[in-house]
Amino acid sequence: MRICKAGDGNRSIRRPKGCESERRTPQRRKSNMENQDRDSGDVIPVVIIGNGPSGICLSYLLSGHTPYVSPDASHPNPLLQSKLKEQSHLSVLEQDLEYLCEGVEGRSSNPVAVLFDSLLLPDSDFGLEHSSPLSWRYEPERGISHLVLGRGPPGGAWHAMEGSMLTLSLANWMELPGLKLKDWLREKRRNVRNDRATPAEIASYYQHYVSQKSLEQNFACGTTVTEVTRVHGDGAELCWRVTGVQRREGEELGDGSTVSEEIPFSVLARNVVLATGTHDIPARLGVEGESLPYVCHSFWELEAAISRGELDQSSEPVLVVGAGLTAADAVLATRHLSAPVYHAFRRSVTDPALIFNQLPKLLYPEYHKVHQMMTQQQHGSPSSTSPSSSYPNYLSFPKHRVLKFLPNQKCVLESDSGQKTVIQVSKALVLIGSHPNLSFLPDHGRSLGVSANEAISCRRNPIDVDPFTNRVQEAPGMYAMGPLVGENFVRFLKGGALAIVSDLLKRQKLRVEDDAWVAGENGWSLKG
């Protein structure tokens, strides 16, 4: 495996004491990068860019963990059950996934995602807990050598999420194969009273999963990929060159801080999997004044302001822009301080596409409460000025857009009818989604989208992949999975891992069969 050291590295700023994940310990285990032979010239079969749940699940399958259908198991879908019995001696990875997907329905547009979800959690959409018909065998001979690159610890963006809110998905929907999340949670807290977990618990679970499943040797954390290019490897084989920098922890100084280095690296890969997620770059409105200091684009900036004591019931209102779950979390966090809130969003409160109109009330009472506020406390309605209002200090602006932010901390809103309203605020939180960081690809990967030359977006323009293999249509040897192909929920991104590994194993088998034939005077014959 070639990992070319391209320089002496750059010294970075000191890291304060307490950043435990960044600090060197005396017996620090070497990362995958450090264990490689820098001059071997080998081509890695698979490099995965992204170490969130997508990359972790893919690493699990690539390591030889193989799903089979248990002989005595049954699936509640009779059509799928009959298909599963036809070749039950084969692993699911070896079967015709397109054939198995026929007639299986679910909440994802990706057929293999629906299939694998149905096999892992049969009828879970109906609140039922059927046993999975799958049994898992560890078959290391099926394993494919791979390297998982991630900027932080295993778990990806979950480590950056706010730690006290509950996840949207039920806990068992967040789990990965082979480790029940509920069982793990019971070890962490005495009483699991809620079917949902906190992001902090989920991040810890994913990190523990990598350790328990002995996947650490495949992970190189602290790495930032800067470029992915198509090149000729040794023997004129077309492959991918993945370059970037890896952050290394330096020695601890007398004041408890550490100095870290950034070491350039370069590896060659036969296949590259894009599994970066879409939480890297906050979406912007693109309006005048959006870069003013009081305008924020992440929930964490709100948390920082709260921790500094900048917001309370005497503050000017906080403007929250957006009608997604992160915006709802911001409303809840601000209301918890009794600080006043203005809430502006483009949709009507009755719009079926609004996420609150799709969530069961019993499972998500806090989001149902926000939706009630959005409905009952609308700008211009009589109830919004009533002294007996159930939600004082909250006012929603449905079907409004931000026209501009002014330097005096005033914001101009405009309704669908063109009516303008000027409001005074203490802070403005623009929480309207995010985009993936694909800066390591030419033109940020725009040519790979369903709509060519438009920015890649989970909802509006995902990467165009084959639905049964997850191969990127416009880039041979490249795959994509997770939010990049429209899968925002962990329960469905696991199907991408199944599709990719199934395709890689079949291509590997074809390559071995091709290598076993030689050309002779009388045509092709098997070697030996």
Side-chain angles (χ1 to χ4, degrees):
M1 185 181 301
R2 176 176 296 165
I3 300 183
C4 305
K5 188 172 181 180
D8 294 329
N10 298 315
R11 289 273 179 177
S12 67
I13 60 173
R14 294 184 178 185
R15 298 187 180 278
K17 188 173 183 178
C19 298
E20 299 299 327
S21 63
E22 306 294 339
R23 295 178 62 188
R24 177 185 292 272
T25 57
Q27 301 297 323
R28 183 174 63 87
R29 178 173 179 166
K30 286 189 176 183
S31 75
N32 190 297
M33 287 283 190
E34 293 172 274
N35 284 326
Q36 306 307 325
D37 178 357
R38 292 179 180 272
D39 301 311
S40 68
D42 290 344
V43 177
I44 309 172
V46 182
V47 166
I48 303 164
I49 303 175
N51 66 354
S54 292
I56 295 171
C57 185
L58 183 54
S59 177
Y60 180 72
L61 294 180
L62 285 171
S63 297
H65 297 276
T66 309
Y68 286 83
V69 177
S70 300
D72 56 347
S74 63
H75 194 280
N77 182 325
L79 177 61
L80 180 56
Q81 171 65 14
S82 65
K83 290 181 180 180
L84 293 172
K85 281 190 171 183
E86 291 175 11
Q87 292 186 305
S88 57
H89 61 288
L90 296 177
S91 74
V92 177
L93 293 169
E94 297 171 281
Q95 298 194 37
D96 184 341
L97 296 183
E98 185 171 358
Y99 172 64
L100 292 179
C101 286
E102 293 173 357
V104 182
E105 298 180 349
R107 295 186 182 181
S108 169
S109 58
N110 292 318
V112 182
V114 174
L115 170 68
F116 203 28
D117 179 67
S118 180
L119 292 173
L120 291 167
L121 300 166
D123 279 353
S124 62
D125 280 336
F126 303 106
L128 304 176
E129 292 194 14
H130 288 296
S131 298
S132 170
L134 297 182
S135 62
W136 290 85
R137 304 178 195 172
Y138 179 50
E139 301 174 330
E141 68 277 6
R142 291 184 186 269
I144 298 176
S145 180
H146 62 282
L147 180 63
V148 185
L149 305 177
R151 286 180 295 181
W158 286 95
H159 288 280
M161 294 184 187
E162 198 277 328
S164 60
M165 298 291 181
L166 294 174
T167 59
L168 175 64
S169 295
L170 300 177
N172 63 338
W173 291 357
M174 308 294 296
E175 69 190 23
L176 298 179
L179 180 60
K180 290 290 185 184
L181 179 54
K182 282 187 177 180
D183 294 343
W184 182 83
L185 283 173
R186 285 192 183 94
E187 295 178 4
K188 296 296 176 182
R189 35 177 160 129
R190 293 181 179 179
N191 183 21
V192 182
R193 294 175 295 177
N194 199 304
D195 281 335
R196 294 156 65 196
T198 68
E201 289 171 330
I202 297 298
S204 180
Y205 165 79
Y206 290 142
Q207 197 162 4
H208 175 76
Y209 184 94
V210 170
S211 174
Q212 191 190 69
K213 300 301 178 183
S214 301
L215 304 177
E216 301 106 317
Q217 68 272 17
N218 303 316
F219 282 70
C221 300
T223 55
T224 300
V225 175
T226 56
E227 188 175 27
V228 175
T229 53
R230 197 73 162 144
V231 298
H232 285 283
D234 297 340
E237 177 188 16
L238 269 176
C239 56
W240 296 97
R241 182 177 295 283
V242 181
T243 58
V245 293
Q246 182 175 33
R247 188 182 63 250
R248 302 275 180 82
E249 301 87 352
E251 61 185 26
E252 185 172 315
L253 303 180
D255 61 0
S257 64
T258 59
V259 176
S260 66
E261 297 176 289
E262 288 189 341
I263 309 298
F265 71 85
S266 176
V267 296
L268 295 176
R270 185 172 294 117
N271 302 282
V272 165
V273 180
L274 306 178
T276 60
T278 62
H279 294 282
D280 293 316
I281 305 172
R284 298 177 69 89
L285 296 167
V287 301
E288 180 184 338
E290 194 170 2
S291 296
L292 289 167
Y294 70 91
V295 182
C296 308
H297 292 83
S298 75
F299 186 90
W300 329 125
E301 291 175 274
L302 172 64
E303 282 194 308
I306 291 173
S307 66
R308 292 192 298 264
E310 295 177 6
L311 300 173
D312 57 34
Q313 58 187 6
S314 63
S315 305
E316 293 288 355
V318 173
L319 171 64
V320 177
V321 182
L325 299 179
T326 305
D329 288 341
V331 169
L332 291 169
T334 308
R335 291 273 302 167
H336 182 70
L337 301 171
S338 299
V341 180
Y342 289 146
H343 189 186
F345 44 94
R346 298 293 299 270
R347 297 184 184 275
S348 162
V349 291
T350 58
D351 190 328
L354 198 68
I355 185 64
F356 308 103
N357 291 320
Q358 303 171 27
L359 300 176
K361 296 178 182 178
L362 291 177
L363 279 177
Y364 307 101
E366 74 276 33
Y367 293 133
H368 175 58
K369 179 180 179 180
V370 173
H371 191 222
Q372 276 188 325
M373 294 162 61
M374 293 162 66
T375 304
Q376 296 179 16
Q377 293 291 112
Q378 295 184 40
H379 171 66
S381 67
S383 60
S384 65
T385 56
S386 171
S388 59
S389 168
S390 301
Y391 305 109
N393 292 328
Y394 171 89
L395 188 61
S396 73
F397 291 82
K399 302 173 75 172
H400 277 68
R401 69 184 184 97
V402 175
L403 201 59
K404 58 184 174 181
F405 297 102
L406 302 175
N408 58 358
Q409 291 187 259
K410 290 185 177 179
C411 175
V412 182
L413 303 179
E414 184 180 48
S415 69
D416 274 3
S417 62
Q419 182 180 359
K420 295 180 178 60
T421 304
V422 180
I423 55 176
Q424 181 76 52
V425 302
S426 59
K427 285 196 174 296
L429 288 163
V430 179
L431 303 173
I432 55 174
S434 57
H435 301 296
N437 182 0
L438 298 176
S439 59
F440 52 83
L441 294 175
D443 197 23
H444 296 263
R446 286 171 177 260
S447 63
L448 306 181
V450 173
S451 299
N453 300 318
E454 291 186 14
I456 300 299
S457 164
C458 176
R459 289 190 175 88
R460 297 180 181 85
N461 189 36
I463 291 178
D464 189 15
V465 297
D466 180 279
F468 300 102
T469 65
N470 277 53
R471 287 191 212 173
V472 177
Q473 301 284 26
E474 297 300 321
M478 180 176 283
Y479 297 82
M481 64 184 300
L484 292 175
V485 299
E487 292 300 356
N488 262 327
F489 293 102
V490 173
R491 62 180 290 200
F492 291 123
L493 62 79
K494 292 173 279 192
L498 181 74
I500 291 170
V501 177
S502 176
D503 188 57
L504 287 170
L505 288 172
K506 288 167 185 172
R507 287 173 58 200
Q508 185 181 67
K509 183 178 179 182
L510 288 173
R511 187 180 300 113
V512 170
E513 291 175 350
D514 287 345
D515 289 345
W517 291 81
V518 294
E521 294 180 1
N522 298 316
W524 291 88
S525 61
L526 281 169
K527 291 180 181 178

